[in-house]
Amino acid sequence: MRPGNNGLFIPGPTNLPAALRVAMDLPLEDQRAPDFPDFTLRLFDDLKRVFRLDRGQVFVFPGSGTGGWEAAVTNTLSPGDTVLASDIGYFSHRWIDLCRRHGLNVDVIDVEWGEGVPVEQYAARLSADTNHAIKAVLVCHNETATGVTSDVAAVRRALDDADHPALLMVDAVSSLASIDFRMSEWEVDLAVSGSQKGFMLPTGLAIVAASEKALAASRSAACPRCFFDFAAMHAANREGYFPYTPATTLLRGLRASIDMLFAEGLEAVFARHGRLAEGVRKAVDSWGLKLCAKEPKWYSDTVSAIRVPESFNGNDVVNVAYARYNLSLGIGLGRVAGQVFRIGHLGWLNELMLLQAIAGAEMAMRDLGISVAAGSGVAAAEEHFRMTAGPVSLPTPENIQKN
Ligand SMILES: *Cc1c(COP(=O)(O)O)cnc(C)c1O
């Protein structure tokens, strides 16, 4: 281990706050104890508030986001069902692959990576589908590979305009608890998340929220499922228990995480992510580089994928940053491998932590001969953070004297 912190700026796992580590440093507990439901029932309720889900249910499985995809799909669909999806990046690509392996017929709209979910093409497909063959529409809210945030509300409008009953399934793994997400308002039927991104926890939980419509669909869906079965989970959860051993330590961490998020306020959490992300974008601009995200409307507030000049490899930037400066950045994934490197800026983070990532990226790029001016990104981000820091009461000569 090298001295000092490893700068963790991959888009998940994110930084683990000391308060959450402490909250999980406790003896293991009896998951069938009579007072266990006092803890879990309130946790389930508060999780719904994070998703902004009024009715329906949030399921917490041991697993990761990938397990959440599987739970959403297998509980509500049957083999042979058609789902509408778009390939906008590595994560949406993998969700499509998972659907196919479960025997679903996926109608994939191929999109140039760097763009968001193609709402107009979704609308056209949905209005043409008068027999309602499409059973679900998939949206990757925040595509972590390209740093692109899509418009979930617009997809809901497309469904409504076509008067289409398909379920709306959203991958919210790298958006929930970091970017505005409104499950009930947008009438999202299934939303998938995990513990290691916005919740600032270790990996280990798949968190899946289901609307009442999704719960109804789960009663007739025929995809085989066992570990991720909503029905078994629902029956046990109703009493505050689980059908098999829950990850109690992580659940205690989740409790503390939600408390932290609510103490800051979800709106303030979103605003903080927006402001930090804008600092990164100012740095990218000052480097003379471009984001993978093609238009500002798609810029992600949780991760920036930064295009390196054509004769360079983004993965080299990541490797040099790690080897020389103990800084972890995200590599390029899938179709944009080599073309980008990523800075994850979600979770427990502030301005000066983020300047560490910007400085390290800048140093690594210069080491490789990419022409960016020393300190240019740091300076641009600094100025943004200074100008948007809000009012501060500076010490006056009188109150300095009083002390
Ligand atoms: C991280 C992530 C996932 C899930 O990944 P796991 O490694 O299984 O937790 C899914 N979708 C998106 C958009 C992600 O960022």
Side-chain angles (χ1 to χ4, degrees):
M1 276 296 217
R2 287 175 282 175
N5 290 322
N6 167 245
L8 189 64
F9 292 91
I10 52 173
T14 61
N15 290 285
L16 174 63
L20 298 191
R21 192 159 55 203
V22 168
M24 291 184 288
D25 183 5
L26 79 182
L28 293 175
E29 62 191 299
D30 172 5
Q31 80 275 12
R32 301 194 201 282
D35 59 353
F36 193 59
D38 298 344
F39 163 62
T40 52
L41 293 174
R42 197 166 70 85
L43 181 69
F44 297 148
D45 269 350
D46 284 343
L47 264 176
K48 285 168 71 172
R49 292 170 58 201
V50 178
F51 281 92
R52 298 197 155 146
L53 173 65
D54 303 330
R55 282 201 281 274
Q57 190 168 350
V58 180
F59 299 98
V60 186
F61 300 96
S64 76
T66 305
W69 284 339
E70 186 152 310
V73 164
T74 58
N75 275 286
T76 56
L77 297 170
S78 303
D81 279 355
T82 297
V83 307
L84 177 62
S86 49
D87 187 340
I88 66 165
Y90 181 75
F91 290 93
S92 37
H93 186 84
R94 283 186 48 217
W95 198 10
I96 289 164
D97 176 56
L98 183 144
C99 289
R100 289 190 165 137
R101 294 195 205 191
H102 280 288
L104 302 172
N105 166 39
V106 193
D107 180 5
V108 182
I109 301 173
D110 207 28
V111 167
E112 202 174 330
W113 287 15
E115 294 178 14
V117 166
V119 179
E120 278 160 31
Q121 293 184 61
Y122 272 22
R125 288 283 218 287
L126 289 166
S127 50
D129 182 39
T130 46
N131 298 329
H132 298 163
I134 298 169
K135 299 300 177 208
V137 176
L138 269 49
V139 174
C140 184
H141 186 206
N142 188 77
E143 175 50 76
T144 317
T146 56
V148 162
T149 302
S150 287
D151 189 347
V152 179
V155 176
R156 165 44 63 197
R157 281 195 297 276
L159 278 157
D160 288 350
D161 291 348
D163 209 3
H164 202 293
L167 296 168
L168 177 54
M169 296 194 186
V170 177
D171 173 341
V173 182
S174 62
S175 59
L176 191 77
S178 311
I179 297 175
D180 194 14
F181 186 77
R182 308 177 191 192
M183 183 146 177
S184 285
E185 190 182 318
W186 298 341
E187 292 174 63
V188 171
D189 293 301
L190 291 135
V192 174
S193 191
S195 46
Q196 81 275 24
K197 298 194 181 169
F199 285 112
M200 311 166 282
L201 292 167
T203 314
L205 299 176
I207 304 168
V208 183
S211 70
E212 287 184 312
K213 186 170 152 188
L215 294 172
S218 74
R219 282 171 214 125
S220 55
C223 277
R225 57 203 184 255
C226 171
F227 186 80
F228 289 121
D229 188 24
F230 280 178
M233 203 44 112
H234 175 76
N237 279 182
R238 216 175 24 208
E239 313 295 331
Y241 295 104
F242 289 82
Y244 46 79
T245 318
T248 53
T249 310
L250 284 171
L251 293 178
R252 291 289 171 184
L254 188 58
R255 173 72 266 162
S257 164
I258 294 172
D259 289 344
M260 260 177 97
L261 291 166
F262 287 173
E264 184 176 355
L266 283 179
E267 293 303 332
V269 171
F270 304 151
R272 174 168 54 85
H273 281 81
R275 178 166 167 266
L276 293 175
E278 188 58 25
V280 172
R281 293 191 280 263
K282 297 269 196 243
V284 172
D285 212 34
S286 77
W287 290 331
L289 299 178
K290 292 259 177 296
L291 291 171
C292 181
K294 287 202 177 141
E295 288 181 42
K297 66 175 179 185
W298 288 318
Y299 289 173
S300 165
D301 284 345
T302 58
V303 54
S304 295
I306 299 153
R307 287 197 170 276
V308 292
E310 252 175 44
S311 48
F312 294 91
N313 186 326
N315 292 352
D316 291 341
V317 177
V318 177
N319 290 335
V320 169
Y322 188 76
R324 288 196 140 167
Y325 308 116
N326 203 1
L327 171 68
S328 287
L329 300 169
I331 59 165
L333 297 169
R335 232 184 270 172
V336 293
Q339 300 172 18
V340 304
F341 70 89
R342 294 173 300 148
I343 300 179
H345 34 80
L346 72 163
W348 193 65
L349 212 58
N350 62 25
E351 299 89 334
L352 295 191
M353 288 165 83
L354 197 48
L355 285 174
Q356 178 188 9
I358 295 168
E362 198 165 272
M363 289 159 79
M365 284 193 285
R366 286 176 56 77
D367 290 350
L368 289 164
I370 299 178
S371 103
V372 298
S376 56
V378 171
E382 267 183 19
E383 285 309 282
H384 171 70
F385 295 148
R386 273 189 348 97
M387 294 308 161
T388 55
V392 61
S393 47
L394 292 171
T396 60
E398 299 88 68
N399 63 30
I400 285 174
Q401 231 148 30
K402 259 186 259 159
N403 295 329

